Amino acid sequence: MSVQEVQAAIEATFQGNQEAISFLMAFGETDAAWGVSLEILRTSPGPACQFYAANMLYTKVSRHWDTLAPAARQELGTALFGLFDAMAMGETTADSTVRKRFCLLLATLCARSTGDDSINFSTLIKQLLACASAAATAAGQGTNVFSALMLSLEMAAVLPGAVSLRDLSNQQRDTLDQVILAAQDQIFAFLQYVLLDSTPVWAIQQAALKVLQEWAARGTARITLGDAHTKLSRVYSALISALCVSDTALGEILQGNKDTAEQLLLTREAANTLKGFLEVSEYPRTSDRDEAAEALLNGLCASAKTYGTTMALSDDDTSHALVSLATSYVQHELDLVAKGSPAALQFVKLLLCMTRDPRLGISGLCLDPWLDVQAVPLADRHPSMGAELYAEILAVLLDQCSYFQASDIVPQVSLDVAGDAFSFILAAAEYARHRTPPDVDGISSLRESAKDVFITCYYQLRVAYFDRIVAMADVSAPWNRLECALFAVRCVCKEASDWVKRARRAEQRRNAAQNSSRPLTPRESADIDRTSDLLVGVLARLCGQSLDGAYHALEHPLVQKQAALVYVAYRLLLAPPASRATGDVEPGKDQTGLLLPALERIIEAFLVPAASHSAARSFGELCGSLAETLADIPPALDLVLLALPKAFEGIEGDLQAGKESLGFVVEAGARVFTAVKDKVVAARYVQSFIEPIVGEVINRTAKAARTSVDAEVVALHLSLLAQFVRFLDSLPDTPGGVAIRNTLSLMWPHLRAASAAFPEHEDTITALCNLYSKMLLVLKASAAEHVEALLQDLVGLFEAHGYSATFRTLSAAMEVFGKHQGTHSVFSSILHRFSQHLTNPNAVGNPDLIRNYFHAMQQTVLFCPAALFETDQNTVEVSLNILVMSISTGQLEREATRAALQYLRTMLQHSRKAHTARILSAVVPMGVAIVVACLTAISGKAPEMLHHSFIEAMYDLLVRFIEDDVKAELPPQRGAQGWLAEGLHAPEITSVLSSGKELELLHALLLRVVEVPSKKQQFKQIMKDLARLFASGHNREDWMTDYLRDNNLPT
């Protein structure tokens, strides 16, 4: 293949030519690719072709270096070193991407070369340093040495990565590490020259800093902070100085001077480089590290104006670099920060300013340091880093987490760089906020990240936390401030509630027992009382109490949403003050307190689109946790009754979007009404609650011209009824319980009508089957008269449409009525019809159908075995045929396969108690097929997660058929021994075995282990080991031979 043809193919790939791409991929695997790609790299004028050729060579060296003859390796290395010299002298031009790929290629090649080759790693470093030295000398004479310096720096940057190549041995890596360490001082001297002594060129300085970053990140030559301070002292000082741009330069940058703006690029790379040094651990810690950390701390403090400028200019990259350096400093030098030296206090002040950044993504990066500081014991912290600091942090978080509104815009801010640094940075924050568009998603993300910091603030401040927030949560405040205050209150709900409850309970136990446990201190008691009073005050105002007028902030959708969440977060404080004063943890049941006003406000929020979903969730949680309390308050029952129509009204006809919200409300109604002690009263509420749902089903079903929309509406209402009925499964057999069951029984004719009205809408039938299942489990015997007709309807639907949900109803019916003698013939007939339909191979390809079918069959074995085993129908045989088909398919679905195998195991277990002859006679003809399917699955056909199920099923099958009661009835060739002998010769098995010897060994292994029933764990482990051997392709003959010998098992 000629160079021109390959070059043309490379050019074609950039036009999206798939044939050219395929051609080059194939060509890259040939030996000819070595020479052709080298020639293109040396002679092609186009950077695209050069890069492709360099990358092809790099791939060849990475994957096929060992296949290249030593002489060819030497020739290739010599050619690449020559190309390195040509690039350095400018004789061969290459752009930055080509140079970087070429450097990676040459470094990778040299890392793989060993011995006395002239192309090894030492030679490469000598070449690099010689090139750098020559460039420095030529630069002093006024020669343009840009290409040589850039090539040297780019080569130095890839050296640490080349040492870490995966396929190198540990000895090779150690050797390369030693080579790099020996050259470290010379490399550092070169970098110092480039950064400080040569004519400053930004591209070259940036490349030098990239070298430092790479050397800080990789290998044994990693540069620590202490190393940088001692071995690169001038460079280290320059990097710290780069963090602090002069006032004059900052002023010019703010005025748009592009030449000066280059200094911020240097700041960015300096920050990234220092962060790399900082994150290299030093143990034991040295005095050099301490001095370096102090110097860096001072540099960070001096960077305040630089950071403010990047904030004002929205220079996200430089801001991110400075923030990352600052937060990393807290993480790695926490003790130094916590001691609170003057510089550390200034640094903490800077971090607070960074946390105020209006760019919320950057602000969120500053949260972890406050958690780190809090982890330091108070005794080891500066006094100002306790409550005082966290009060400031709380104020900042409340500002940052507030939604933006037009009234928050401040007048135009002027930026005076010459003034105080922190005044400037705060002014820059306001200046940037004025130009930063509202970021709703950013606030949500920041809030999620800030939750732990809010909790930390609470632990530091206790009641003072609520003092500050409640002042902000005044209902006369702007809506966004009120909303954020409620969020902050909700963030600490668990911690605040636990504190109050734990303290109260401890006091109650101490008073009751009159023991010597530590009483609450006056300060703790005051803290608890004040916390409770503040929170109850907030809840009361949210409920509209103690207000002297209308406050529009309370009506804002986001405030209503947050208020609904606060109600449920502090539900135990919705009790009246009297019961809390006595230390009751649960609300008083004889008084309503704030419960009714809170419920009313939540229900009102159903009609607010932005708040409806959260309100519905809160309603469900509130009713669920306080069901017994609400059940004793008649007005609360009326409110719960009102909630469902309001919820339907709130979703504005978008039933699918509001399905989850409606579910919360329905669940709430079920929990509360079933908790009513007078079940007759409860029955009336249940009927009133579900009446509109059933009514909608009746109306849609009765329409003459029904549409798909009607079917979807009916499906939703049926699913809501199923969710409601699910919570009625513990009804007592009292007159009240009977009344509720009678109410539910009224639905039967309407449900069957829905089944007849929408037979072709699967979602409707699925919802109906779920409801049928729940009703059968709840109504039990009172549903007996409807069961046969119901199941006949479902069989018809299944035979016409193949709906898998019909099996769920069958399973529920089997569980409830399987023990009733009169149902056996009905179940037998229905099972036979279901099973016959599934003999169609297309049905086996439906995993959901197979899973539900075998679950129903397992339920039959457990609850109504007579329907299977005491009948003239051949349902058992048909089910086993379906089982073999389902576990022998090309695609094994996990749950369907598990259900099939579990059915088999359940049936085998049942055969030990009853129906032995019937079960064994059905299983025997299928034994070989089941064994083959299990072995095939374990040998690689089935995913590993199914191996356990196949192994368990195979063991149960084989063991059952070597037990005495079975062996006496069967000749050997029809039992476990015969199945193994025949099954191991099946094509599916012999195709994965490597030899006849392996087949004999596997037969002996399985037979000998299975013959000892007590060896189940041994059998399972053997099969797992075999599965791993099949997957890895390792030698199985030796393993099996050794196992048989070691366990004294004859072959």
Side-chain angles (χ1 to χ4, degrees):
M1 188 61 61
S2 69
V3 170
Q4 291 76 17
E5 287 176 301
V6 175
Q7 194 163 311
I10 293 172
E11 292 171 353
T13 62
F14 292 98
Q15 306 301 320
N17 188 316
Q18 291 299 319
E19 291 183 5
I21 294 172
S22 299
F23 163 75
L24 287 173
M25 289 178 65
F27 176 72
E29 297 297 317
T30 66
D31 290 340
W34 292 99
V36 171
S37 55
L38 175 62
E39 188 63 24
I40 293 173
L41 181 59
R42 286 194 294 198
T43 62
S44 176
C49 288
Q50 283 183 310
F51 179 84
Y52 203 103
N55 193 59
M56 185 180 289
L57 265 180
Y58 168 71
T59 303
K60 295 288 288 181
V61 169
S62 299
R63 296 180 182 175
H64 306 300
W65 180 249
D66 292 339
T67 66
L68 202 61
R73 295 180 191 176
Q74 188 72 28
E75 183 181 348
L76 176 62
T78 302
L80 291 178
F81 272 105
L83 190 53
F84 180 90
D85 291 338
M87 285 184 182
M89 297 172 65
E91 296 172 359
T92 298
T93 58
D95 69 5
S96 176
T97 57
V98 175
R99 285 198 312 269
K100 289 177 180 176
R101 182 56 55 168
F102 170 76
C103 289
L104 185 60
L105 160 64
L106 187 52
T108 302
L109 183 148
C110 291
R112 283 174 166 75
S113 298
T114 56
D116 298 327
D117 295 340
S118 59
I119 57 170
N120 58 32
F121 216 58
S122 298
T123 307
L124 176 61
I125 293 179
K126 289 176 184 176
Q127 189 91 345
L128 181 161
L129 292 171
C131 176
S133 177
T137 302
Q141 299 169 358
T143 305
N144 184 350
V145 294
F146 179 84
S147 296
L149 287 177
M150 287 299 292
L151 184 63
S152 300
L153 290 168
E154 286 163 350
M155 182 61 75
V158 301
L159 294 179
V163 174
S164 305
L165 293 171
R166 291 181 183 178
D167 57 334
L168 296 180
S169 66
N170 290 335
Q171 183 179 356
Q172 286 176 304
R173 288 196 185 94
D174 292 342
T175 301
L176 297 178
D177 278 333
Q178 294 305 313
V179 173
I180 283 189
L181 284 170
Q184 190 181 63
D185 290 343
Q186 292 171 285
I187 296 288
F188 288 173
F190 169 48
L191 295 176
Q192 184 165 284
Y193 161 76
V194 169
L195 289 168
L196 302 177
D197 300 327
S198 65
T199 303
V201 177
W202 164 239
I204 292 177
Q205 290 179 318
Q206 185 182 34
L209 292 175
K210 290 290 185 186
V211 175
L212 285 174
Q213 290 166 27
E214 284 296 318
W215 281 58
R218 303 184 189 220
T220 56
R222 297 177 72 181
I223 308 171
T224 67
L225 201 66
D227 290 338
H229 182 59
T230 54
K231 298 179 181 179
L232 286 165
S233 56
R234 289 179 61 211
V235 172
Y236 186 68
S237 298
L239 291 174
I240 292 177
S241 298
L243 301 179
C244 177
V245 182
S246 68
D247 290 358
T248 303
L250 290 176
E252 293 178 5
I253 291 170
L254 288 169
Q255 292 172 12
N257 187 320
K258 294 183 179 179
D259 294 333
T260 316
E262 202 171 75
Q263 292 189 42
L264 290 182
L265 299 178
L266 180 59
T267 298
R268 180 195 311 167
E269 293 304 330
N272 289 332
T273 305
L274 289 166
K275 179 173 178 283
F277 298 157
L278 184 64
E279 291 178 347
V280 180
S281 61
E282 291 183 75
Y283 185 82
R285 190 179 177 92
T286 64
S287 58
D288 291 336
R289 172 82 181 202
D290 294 335
E291 292 175 11
E294 288 281 2
L296 180 54
L297 182 61
N298 291 322
L300 280 166
C301 293
S303 70
K305 288 185 180 180
T306 306
Y307 184 80
T309 302
T310 66
M311 195 191 312
L313 296 177
S314 296
D315 181 354
D316 293 351
D317 291 337
T318 306
S319 297
H320 188 283
L322 288 169
V323 167
S324 295
L325 175 60
T327 55
S328 182
Y329 190 90
V330 176
Q331 180 183 355
H332 295 280
E333 299 294 337
L334 182 57
D335 291 341
L336 186 58
V337 174
K339 287 177 182 176
S341 65
L345 295 178
Q346 287 291 98
F347 173 65
V348 169
K349 194 172 180 181
L350 172 62
L351 265 178
L352 277 170
C353 292
M354 288 176 165
T355 311
R356 289 184 182 276
D357 197 309
R359 297 164 297 176
L360 301 181
I362 292 176
S363 174
L365 298 175
C366 303
L367 298 177
D368 282 347
W370 308 124
L371 301 177
D372 293 335
V373 172
Q374 189 268 342
V376 178
L378 273 172
D380 297 332
R381 277 188 253 166
H382 188 271
S384 66
M385 293 189 191
E388 178 184 341
L389 171 62
Y390 283 88
E392 291 187 67
I393 295 169
L394 177 60
V396 171
L397 289 180
L398 291 171
D399 285 338
Q400 293 296 99
C401 292
S402 292
Y403 287 104
F404 180 85
Q405 63 172 354
S407 60
D408 293 330
I409 297 177
V410 297
Q412 184 65 38
V413 178
S414 60
L415 297 175
D416 180 13
V417 182
D420 173 70
F422 291 103
S423 298
F424 171 74
I425 197 172
L426 292 175
E430 290 302 327
Y431 179 88
R433 197 181 305 277
H434 187 75
R435 288 162 173 74
T436 303
D439 183 4
V440 175
D441 291 339
I443 287 179
S444 299
S445 177
L446 182 65
R447 286 185 172 189
E448 192 63 32
S449 302
K451 285 180 180 178
D452 286 341
V453 186
F454 276 112
I455 293 171
T456 296
C457 291
Y458 170 70
Y459 278 127
Q460 292 290 323
L461 300 172
R462 287 297 185 184
V463 73
Y465 178 92
F466 292 110
D467 276 324
R468 286 165 170 78
I469 290 177
V470 168
M472 179 177 166
D474 192 292
V475 292
S476 61
W479 74 265
N480 60 330
R481 306 296 288 171
L482 173 58
E483 191 274 345
C484 186
L486 295 177
F487 169 76
V489 167
R490 187 166 62 86
C491 277
V492 299
C493 63
K494 181 181 184 303
E495 290 70 27
S497 298
D498 286 350
W499 166 235
V500 173
K501 287 190 292 184
R502 185 170 61 249
R504 291 294 183 208
R505 284 170 175 164
E507 187 72 2
Q508 288 174 347
R509 287 195 298 269
R510 192 186 69 82
N511 292 336
Q514 295 184 348
N515 58 27
S516 57
S517 61
R518 184 184 72 83
L520 295 174
T521 66
R523 181 176 180 179
E524 288 173 334
S525 295
D527 186 295
I528 293 167
D529 292 340
R530 177 68 175 156
T531 297
S532 298
D533 291 344
L534 288 171
L535 288 171
V536 171
V538 170
L539 293 169
R541 288 195 290 277
L542 291 178
C543 292
Q545 296 186 0
S546 304
L547 300 180
D548 54 4
Y551 292 96
H552 297 296
L554 285 175
E555 305 307 319
H556 193 280
L558 294 182
V559 173
Q560 292 192 56
K561 173 183 176 179
Q562 205 62 246
L565 297 171
V566 168
Y567 292 137
V568 74
Y570 291 97
R571 52 191 175 275
L572 297 182
L573 290 176
L574 294 175
S579 63
R580 287 196 309 278
T582 59
D584 290 345
V585 174
E586 296 292 340
K589 299 182 179 180
D590 58 336
Q591 303 180 61
T592 64
L594 294 172
L595 277 175
L596 294 184
L599 283 176
E600 289 170 353
R601 294 289 293 178
I602 292 175
I603 293 172
E604 288 172 11
F606 289 175
L607 304 180
V608 181
S612 60
H613 186 269
S614 295
R617 181 187 292 274
S618 296
F619 185 80
E621 291 183 19
L622 189 63
C623 290
S625 59
L626 301 179
E628 293 184 2
T629 300
L630 295 171
D632 287 344
I633 306 174
L637 297 176
D638 295 334
L639 280 174
V640 175
L641 203 58
L642 172 67
L644 188 58
K646 286 288 187 183
F648 272 108
E649 184 181 350
I651 63 177
E652 297 178 342
D654 190 354
L655 296 178
Q656 291 306 315
K659 181 177 180 179
E660 188 175 21
S661 297
L662 292 170
F664 291 138
V665 177
V666 166
E667 181 178 331
R671 289 183 180 278
V672 172
F673 295 142
T674 54
V676 175
K677 291 185 174 62
D678 187 338
K679 297 304 178 184
V680 175
V681 174
R684 290 201 299 268
Y685 276 107
V686 167
Q687 183 170 355
S688 299
F689 190 76
I690 66 174
E691 201 167 59
I693 307 178
V694 177
E696 188 67 18
V697 172
I698 294 171
N699 293 336
R700 298 276 180 169
T701 301
K703 288 175 64 174
R706 293 180 290 270
T707 66
S708 60
V709 173
D710 294 316
E712 291 171 4
V713 171
V714 170
L716 172 64
H717 284 71
L718 291 174
S719 66
L720 293 176
L721 285 170
Q723 191 163 355
F724 184 87
V725 172
R726 181 166 66 93
F727 291 94
L728 306 181
D729 58 357
S730 58
L731 289 174
D733 293 325
T734 60
V738 172
I740 294 178
R741 290 194 180 95
N742 290 339
T743 298
L744 296 179
S745 295
L746 297 175
M747 293 194 294
W748 285 119
H750 307 304
L751 299 181
R752 292 191 64 197
S755 170
F758 302 102
E760 297 183 356
H761 195 277
E762 185 170 6
D763 288 346
T764 304
I765 300 302
T766 299
L768 182 64
C769 289
N770 288 337
L771 176 55
Y772 278 155
S773 301
K774 301 296 187 296
M775 289 183 65
L776 290 173
L777 294 170
V778 169
L779 297 179
K780 295 185 171 63
S782 58
E785 62 182 288
H786 303 284
V787 170
E788 182 172 358
L790 180 155
L791 292 177
Q792 294 295 345
D793 289 348
L794 294 182
V795 171
L797 285 169
F798 176 75
E799 291 176 336
H801 305 284
Y803 296 143
S804 64
T806 53
F807 287 114
R808 298 175 200 162
T809 305
L810 176 60
S811 295
M814 202 72 70
E815 181 177 342
V816 175
F817 298 105
K819 303 296 184 184
H820 296 196
Q821 184 70 31
T823 62
H824 293 177
S825 60
V826 174
F827 285 138
S828 176
S829 173
I830 287 173
L831 285 171
H832 184 68
R833 289 175 63 183
F834 272 125
S835 299
Q836 289 296 329
H837 186 83
L838 282 172
T839 55
N840 184 337
N842 293 331
V844 176
N846 185 332
D848 191 49
L849 195 62
I850 293 298
R851 182 181 70 252
N852 285 318
Y853 168 73
F854 280 114
H855 178 69
M857 295 301 290
Q858 183 184 355
Q859 292 289 88
T860 305
V861 176
L862 293 173
F863 296 103
C864 190
L868 268 182
F869 308 125
E870 298 176 13
T871 174
D872 295 333
Q873 307 280 10
N874 65 340
T875 308
V876 183
E877 288 77 6
V878 173
S879 70
L880 289 172
N881 273 304
I882 297 169
L883 182 145
V884 170
M885 286 192 294
S886 65
I887 65 175
S888 303
T889 59
Q891 297 294 326
L892 294 172
E893 197 274 336
R894 180 175 59 181
E895 295 306 322
T897 304
R898 284 177 175 171
L901 295 171
Q902 189 58 43
Y903 164 60
L904 173 65
R905 297 182 64 204
T906 302
M907 187 162 53
L908 291 169
Q909 182 63 33
H910 179 77
S911 73
R912 291 186 171 93
K913 298 181 293 185
H915 305 109
T916 304
R918 180 72 180 87
I919 293 173
L920 299 183
S921 66
V923 172
V924 166
M926 308 305 299
V928 173
I930 296 172
V931 168
V932 169
C934 291
L935 286 173
T936 306
I938 294 164
S939 67
K941 181 179 179 180
E944 186 178 353
M945 66 183 69
L946 281 174
H947 287 175
H948 176 77
S949 298
F950 276 105
I951 292 170
E952 291 275 1
M954 184 177 173
Y955 181 83
D956 286 356
L957 176 67
L958 295 177
V959 165
R960 183 69 183 103
F961 278 82
I962 63 169
E963 291 174 1
D964 292 340
D965 64 323
V966 178
K967 290 175 69 174
E969 300 293 330
L970 292 173
Q973 64 272 21
R974 297 194 64 205
Q977 297 92 334
W979 295 340
L980 286 173
E982 185 178 346
L984 287 172
H985 286 86
E988 300 94 320
I989 303 301
T990 56
S991 64
V992 296
L993 296 177
S994 59
S995 66
K997 177 65 173 176
E998 186 177 5
L999 188 151
E1000 293 176 10
L1001 289 169
L1002 182 57
H1003 186 192
L1005 183 66
L1006 294 175
L1007 190 60
R1008 302 309 177 203
V1009 175
V1010 169
E1011 285 178 343
V1012 187
S1014 62
K1015 298 286 188 178
K1016 181 174 182 179
Q1017 291 304 316
Q1018 185 181 14
F1019 177 85
K1020 290 168 64 176
Q1021 189 58 51
I1022 289 172
M1023 298 310 294
K1024 288 178 183 178
D1025 291 341
L1026 276 173
R1028 282 193 288 270
L1029 289 171
F1030 275 113
S1032 65
H1034 291 163
N1035 187 294
R1036 297 183 292 271
E1037 284 188 25
D1038 293 345
W1039 181 86
M1040 287 188 282
T1041 301
D1042 292 344
Y1043 189 93
L1044 288 165
R1045 184 188 65 247
D1046 295 344
N1047 289 274
N1048 297 317
L1049 298 174
T1051 60

